[in-house]
Amino acid sequence: MAAGNPARIRDEDAIGTPPESPALVPAERYYSPAFAALEIERMWPRVWQLACMVDHVAEPGDYFEYRCGPYGVLIVHGDDGVLRAFQNACRHRGNSLCVGSGTGLREIKCGYHGWTWDLAGTLVRVPGRKGFGALRLADFPLVPARVDTWEGLVFVNLDIAAMPLAEYLEAVPDDIAWCNLADFRCCATLTVEVDANWKTIADGFSETYHIQTLHPELLRCVDDVHAPQRIWGHTGKSDQPYGVPSPRFAGALTDEEVWDAYVETQGALMGAAEGTPFPADERRPGQTVADLIAARTRAFAAARGVSLDWADTDRMTRLHQYNVFPNMTLLTNADHLTIMCSRPGPDPDHGELVMFVMTRMPPGAPRNDLDKPTDVRTTAGEAEPGLVLTQDIRILAGLQRGMHQPGFTHLVLSGEERRVINTHRNLERYLDLPESQRMTGDNLAGDSRNQVEAN
């Protein structure tokens, strides 16, 4: 069985072996200030988080400020070519050293009192140093954070003793190696301010159960039933075949209707404008709708110098969805990569959805030939990143409000929502919750459990 293609077994559904009973997750985890404070104290400083793309910091002197809740990490591409990360705080009075992102950085200078470090984090200058008495510059380097990259993605971890990123990602790199993610480049990021907890945001990209109701247009061109899932520990995955109708229609849709639904929801992936008609004249004997979509997508890629001749129809149309605890979702097929992260906001009822928009480039295309990614910030009411994602975003505020109702005490989760359940498994482990505060009914059969203790 080819890596990344476990769904060759067509009768494997999204539920797998049904649990004995639903998992019950306390709703207060999504709005309690005390629970959010525990996450800030025990979880966020100890997990690997996607901060930016290598495209943001591709050249010496490039820098990027990553924020998550109260924490800030400064990522710097040194003049020696080394990528480093530091806690974004001046060692004098704690002022944030850099804001946003930029290029041409030659030193890191605090804008408050002028303490200055080189790009390796060594303190090199203190104005009025005499007033500090016996102050040794070597005693006050910038506080380091862990930084590592995987296939053009830059991850940070505030815990210097954390497990290596490669270990944290578990089976994901091998499972998706066939896709050559390093050939993608980031052209833009979209940060959407949402009236919802970061987990409320992340949960929507961790299950397909909602497709049949929230995404009726999408349902007409995706098999949401035969979408097998895997749980490895910090990570999990699902994959769904596109270009086919949901089995829920029981064969009632024509090929033209499936094509029209794909064009409406994802036509941009194959360069098809809204209303592009079904290409009946291009269809060869035996070709499926998925075959036609794959052919159009290959031609669209070839127009920008990208050959996808290596990818069969399944590689072109099956969407592989990976979840990395706590807050990252990666969606990919042979010519598509979108990465989404949720982050905590100023209080438990607010968060951010950050989307990284990627484009596959010809193999070997240098990163420094591209402009820096465009970073855009907007609100949930203004964001329109496509029909399906807009539907996902618009539902979030109502979800968050509903969880506050006094009669709503627990989320009731099914086997199909096992990746949401796995998020809470990991939360309980990092937060070291007592048994009385843990979810109940977490008895999904066949899941691989993460045996590595939280660092």
Side-chain angles (χ1 to χ4, degrees):
M1 189 178 300
N5 252 359
R8 297 284 186 186
I9 304 173
R10 299 300 184 187
D11 60 354
E12 185 178 350
D13 66 19
I15 295 174
T17 303
E20 295 176 5
S21 60
L24 303 181
V25 177
E28 65 178 1
R29 294 184 181 184
Y30 287 77
Y31 59 80
S32 162
F35 194 86
L38 205 58
E39 292 174 337
I40 291 295
E41 175 191 350
R42 299 182 182 179
M43 188 272 288
W44 288 111
R46 300 165 62 205
V47 292
W48 283 99
Q49 303 164 55
L50 177 63
C52 63
M53 297 293 156
V54 168
D55 302 302
H56 287 94
V57 286
E59 294 295 306
D62 290 351
Y63 66 92
F64 187 93
E65 176 205 22
Y66 172 69
R67 293 186 188 180
C68 180
Y71 301 118
V73 177
L74 177 60
I75 303 162
V76 178
H77 190 140
D79 44 26
D80 58 357
V82 176
L83 202 64
R84 296 181 176 87
F86 309 101
Q87 294 185 23
N88 192 11
C90 175
R91 294 297 303 275
H92 173 220
R93 296 263 293 275
N95 183 45
S96 296
L97 294 166
C98 292
V99 177
S101 61
T103 63
L105 194 67
R106 296 186 178 182
E107 59 184 15
I108 303 170
K109 181 178 180 180
C110 178
Y112 196 7
H113 296 93
W115 283 39
T116 304
W117 290 261
D118 65 19
L119 300 190
T122 301
L123 183 61
V124 295
R125 190 164 59 253
V126 174
R129 181 175 172 185
K130 177 181 177 181
F132 293 93
L135 183 149
R136 297 175 64 246
L137 298 182
D139 290 341
F140 296 94
L142 293 180
V143 179
R146 291 285 294 275
V147 63
D148 203 349
T149 63
W150 170 61
E151 300 288 18
L153 285 65
V154 180
F155 291 80
V156 296
N157 194 321
L158 285 165
D159 182 6
I160 293 298
M163 71 175 67
L165 175 64
E167 182 180 343
Y168 192 92
L169 292 175
E170 298 164 336
V172 172
D174 287 341
D175 197 76
I176 198 58
W178 63 270
C179 197
N180 301 314
L181 296 183
D183 289 341
F184 285 88
R185 299 292 186 268
C186 183
C187 53
T189 68
L190 175 65
T191 300
V192 183
E193 299 170 356
V194 181
D195 293 342
N197 187 267
W198 69 271
K199 295 184 292 298
T200 307
I201 301 169
D203 289 355
F205 304 109
S206 302
E207 46 91 359
T208 55
Y209 183 38
H210 69 279
I211 290 177
Q212 58 187 301
T213 304
L214 185 61
H215 305 310
E217 302 88 353
L218 185 63
L219 189 68
R220 304 170 78 84
C221 63
V222 63
D223 186 344
D224 62 319
V225 173
H226 301 107
Q229 302 189 76
R230 289 289 306 277
I231 299 294
W232 291 298
H234 286 113
T235 59
K237 76 164 291 190
S238 172
D239 58 83
Q240 308 93 41
Y242 278 71
V244 294
S246 170
R248 301 179 197 281
F249 287 104
L253 297 183
T254 65
D255 287 351
E256 288 81 358
E257 288 173 312
V258 175
W259 170 272
D260 290 345
Y262 190 88
V263 169
E264 181 180 10
T265 58
Q266 297 151 99
L269 299 181
M270 60 177 180
E274 184 176 354
T276 298
F278 181 71
D281 56 336
E282 299 176 13
R283 191 175 198 174
R284 299 193 302 272
Q287 273 194 316
T288 65
V289 177
D291 291 332
L292 292 170
I293 291 170
R296 280 288 183 96
T297 306
R298 288 191 199 94
F300 182 52
R304 62 179 192 273
V306 174
S307 173
L308 295 174
D309 291 343
W310 53 270
D312 63 12
T313 292
D314 192 71
R315 296 293 198 205
M316 298 294 300
T317 58
R318 183 178 296 275
L319 187 66
H320 298 258
Q321 179 170 324
Y322 296 87
N323 298 97
V324 179
F325 180 79
N327 63 337
M328 172 182 154
T329 298
L330 184 152
L331 305 167
T332 189
N333 61 29
D335 196 40
H336 174 215
L337 177 60
T338 297
I339 302 168
M340 296 177 288
C341 295
S342 61
R343 297 173 187 164
D347 60 61
D349 286 318
H350 293 85
E352 294 179 347
L353 170 62
V354 183
M355 299 174 54
F356 297 85
V357 182
M358 314 291 286
T359 301
R360 187 183 284 282
M361 304 295 288
R367 283 195 145 81
N368 56 12
D369 281 359
L370 300 175
D371 293 332
K372 294 293 183 187
T374 301
D375 298 318
V376 177
R377 177 175 288 269
T378 188
T379 64
E382 297 172 339
E384 293 188 358
L387 174 64
V388 175
L389 286 174
T390 299
Q391 291 170 337
D392 286 322
I393 291 170
R394 298 286 164 82
I395 199 75
L396 293 171
L399 270 169
Q400 190 67 26
R401 283 195 305 272
M403 291 189 197
H404 279 273
Q405 307 315 306
F408 185 78
T409 59
H410 291 80
L411 285 72
V412 183
L413 302 181
S414 76
E416 200 286 332
E417 296 162 295
R418 65 182 58 209
R419 285 174 288 151
V420 179
I421 294 171
N422 194 51
T423 294
H424 287 278
R425 289 178 185 162
N426 280 289
L427 267 177
E428 291 177 350
R429 184 165 54 88
Y430 276 87
L431 272 51
D432 194 23
L433 295 182
E435 193 65 32
S436 61
Q437 296 179 23
R438 293 181 175 244
M439 62 179 161
T440 59
D442 174 22
N443 55 3
L444 291 174
D447 278 355
S448 300
R449 299 300 185 96
N450 185 14
Q451 302 300 317
V452 180
E453 292 299 319
N455 285 303

